[in-house]
Amino acid sequence: MFWLRSIFLYFFIAVIAFAISAITNIIWGFMFALVMLSITICYHLINLNRLNQWLKHPDVDTVPGSMMLWQDVFDQLYEQVRSQKKSKDRLANTLDRFLSAAEALPDGVVILDEYDRIEWCNPASQIHLGLNRKTDSGQQITNLLRHPALREYLKEQDFSHPVTLRTMRPQEQVLSVQMIPFDSTRKLLLSRDITQLDRVQTVHRDFVANVSHELRTPLTVVGGFIETMIDMPHIDAPTREQHMQLMYEQTQRMQRLVDDLLTLSKLENGQQLKEEKKLISLSYSSYSALRLKVYRKAATPSASNPSHANA
């Protein structure tokens, strides 16, 4: 150990000094010990000064060298500094990878401190929220995004669900924003552009409402004619044919609406919906069989009752 070696060195100097005193006289022994101690002190002072100069600008490549006791000290210092440098390089590389991944995210990411001040943001958040990483760093997010819904969201401190923000600058945009605490004080503000999804949902709602209205009319017409044929099995042939023609037209109208639905679904999903087509075709075949059954039921009494047919 270092201190044992130091004690051994001073003990060795003392032994030699005593030996000189015994051979010659005590003055020469004392002088030898004083000179050796002076050399040792100068040796330590020089190395302490070198260590102090290095600590002002520490670098693994400039660790000083020496001899004897201080060489061990500098060797240990070099190993520790090199190990720390490797750990620092690994942490820096890991941080760079995380930052690169965060910057490549399509969703916006903003890091906020305990006072909701911006510490970092990725390019997507700059596009979504109109932020600037250089000039807006340290600014409170509510001072830059003056949106009542966001203020209320931050005030309530209920971050279990996102909040929807609608902006008109520079163009109409719908954002889904959610706060996620990830540290004892820091938070992540995540933003996602759902403008297209919102438009699709609006179109869907309108389309379903229109289709429901459009389907109600032909279904009512077809259902009414079927009930009439069931309640009036002896209806004359021309009237029956007219009803059949009207029902066929209404079923064609429903078929066109179903085709439109399938086309819209294919455009959104980008695939052929074979199962849906098969189901629609099966439903239409079932309806055709039902129509034929009603026709035969209505025609049977007329054929078995000649007097009614002549009438």
Side-chain angles (χ1 to χ4, degrees):
M1 295 181 180
F2 180 79
W3 63 276
L4 287 177
R5 295 174 63 182
S6 299
I7 292 176
F8 177 77
L9 175 63
Y10 294 126
F11 179 76
F12 182 72
I13 293 175
V15 169
I16 295 178
F18 278 118
I20 294 175
S21 298
I23 296 173
T24 58
N25 57 59
I26 192 171
I27 296 177
W28 286 106
F30 179 77
M31 292 295 296
F32 173 79
L34 183 62
V35 170
M36 294 302 297
L37 289 176
S38 299
I39 294 174
T40 304
I41 291 173
C42 291
Y43 167 75
H44 288 306
L45 289 176
I46 292 173
N47 285 283
L48 284 172
N49 180 67
R50 298 176 65 189
L51 177 61
N52 180 63
Q53 295 297 325
W54 179 84
L55 290 175
K56 293 179 181 179
H57 305 283
D59 186 79
V60 67
D61 297 327
T62 60
V63 175
S66 185
M67 59 182 181
M68 299 175 59
L69 301 178
W70 277 95
Q71 183 60 43
D72 294 340
V73 174
F74 289 141
D75 288 343
Q76 295 179 14
L77 181 63
Y78 174 79
E79 292 297 330
Q80 292 182 2
V81 172
R82 187 177 66 172
S83 177
Q84 291 179 356
K85 185 176 184 300
K86 290 181 179 180
S87 299
K88 182 179 179 181
D89 291 341
R90 286 196 299 268
L91 290 175
N93 292 333
T94 303
L95 180 60
D96 289 340
R97 288 197 299 269
F98 274 110
L99 290 178
S100 299
E103 290 185 350
L105 287 174
D107 296 339
V109 179
V110 183
I111 300 179
L112 305 177
D113 63 8
E114 57 182 329
Y115 302 107
D116 295 333
R117 293 178 298 198
I118 299 174
E119 291 187 349
W120 183 86
C121 60
N122 69 342
S125 66
Q126 299 182 59
I127 297 174
H128 293 168
L129 306 175
L131 302 177
N132 188 301
R133 186 186 303 177
K134 295 181 179 179
T135 59
D136 294 338
S137 180
Q139 298 291 328
Q140 280 196 339
I141 191 68
T142 52
N143 293 338
L144 302 173
L145 301 179
R146 299 182 179 276
H147 204 289
L150 180 61
R151 288 180 177 272
E152 189 67 22
Y153 182 70
L154 296 177
K155 182 179 179 181
E156 292 178 354
Q157 296 291 311
D158 183 12
F159 303 141
S160 60
H161 59 86
V163 62
T164 301
L165 305 181
R166 296 181 180 273
T167 60
M168 300 300 295
R169 296 179 299 176
Q171 58 185 359
E172 183 180 1
Q173 192 176 37
V174 182
L175 299 174
S176 175
V177 177
Q178 185 170 10
M179 189 80 76
I180 301 178
F182 75 97
D183 199 355
S184 58
T185 57
R186 289 174 174 78
K187 298 178 284 290
L188 284 178
L189 182 68
L190 304 180
S191 63
R192 174 173 294 179
D193 188 355
I194 59 171
T195 305
Q196 189 63 26
L197 178 61
D198 182 74
R199 291 173 181 173
V200 170
Q201 290 177 346
T202 301
V203 171
H204 276 186
R205 288 193 297 268
D206 295 341
F207 186 77
V208 169
N210 293 334
V211 168
S212 300
H213 176 74
E214 292 294 331
L215 284 175
R216 189 178 294 112
T217 300
L219 286 173
T220 302
V221 172
V222 172
F225 284 149
I226 292 176
E227 289 178 2
T228 301
M229 290 183 176
I230 293 174
D231 295 337
M232 301 174 61
H234 307 300
I235 191 171
D236 59 284
T239 303
R240 184 174 58 251
E241 291 295 335
Q242 182 182 6
H243 290 178
M244 287 300 208
Q245 181 63 32
L246 291 174
M247 284 193 294
Y248 177 75
E249 293 175 357
Q250 295 301 323
T251 56
Q252 290 297 309
R253 181 180 178 184
M254 287 190 290
Q255 181 66 36
R256 287 193 296 270
L257 289 174
V258 171
D259 289 340
D260 291 342
L261 284 172
L262 290 177
T263 302
L264 178 62
S265 182
K266 286 189 294 184
L267 291 175
E268 291 179 352
N269 298 331
Q271 59 183 3
Q272 300 293 330
L273 305 180
K274 297 182 179 180
E275 295 297 329
E276 285 79 354
K277 279 188 172 183
K278 188 181 297 183
L279 178 62
I280 295 301
S281 180
L282 180 60
S283 300
Y284 188 72
S285 300
S286 299
Y287 169 75
S288 300
L290 177 62
R291 186 180 65 177
L292 180 59
K293 182 177 181 180
V294 172
Y295 178 81
R296 288 176 177 175
K297 182 178 180 181
T300 301
S302 299
S304 62
N305 191 355
S307 61
H308 182 75
N310 293 332

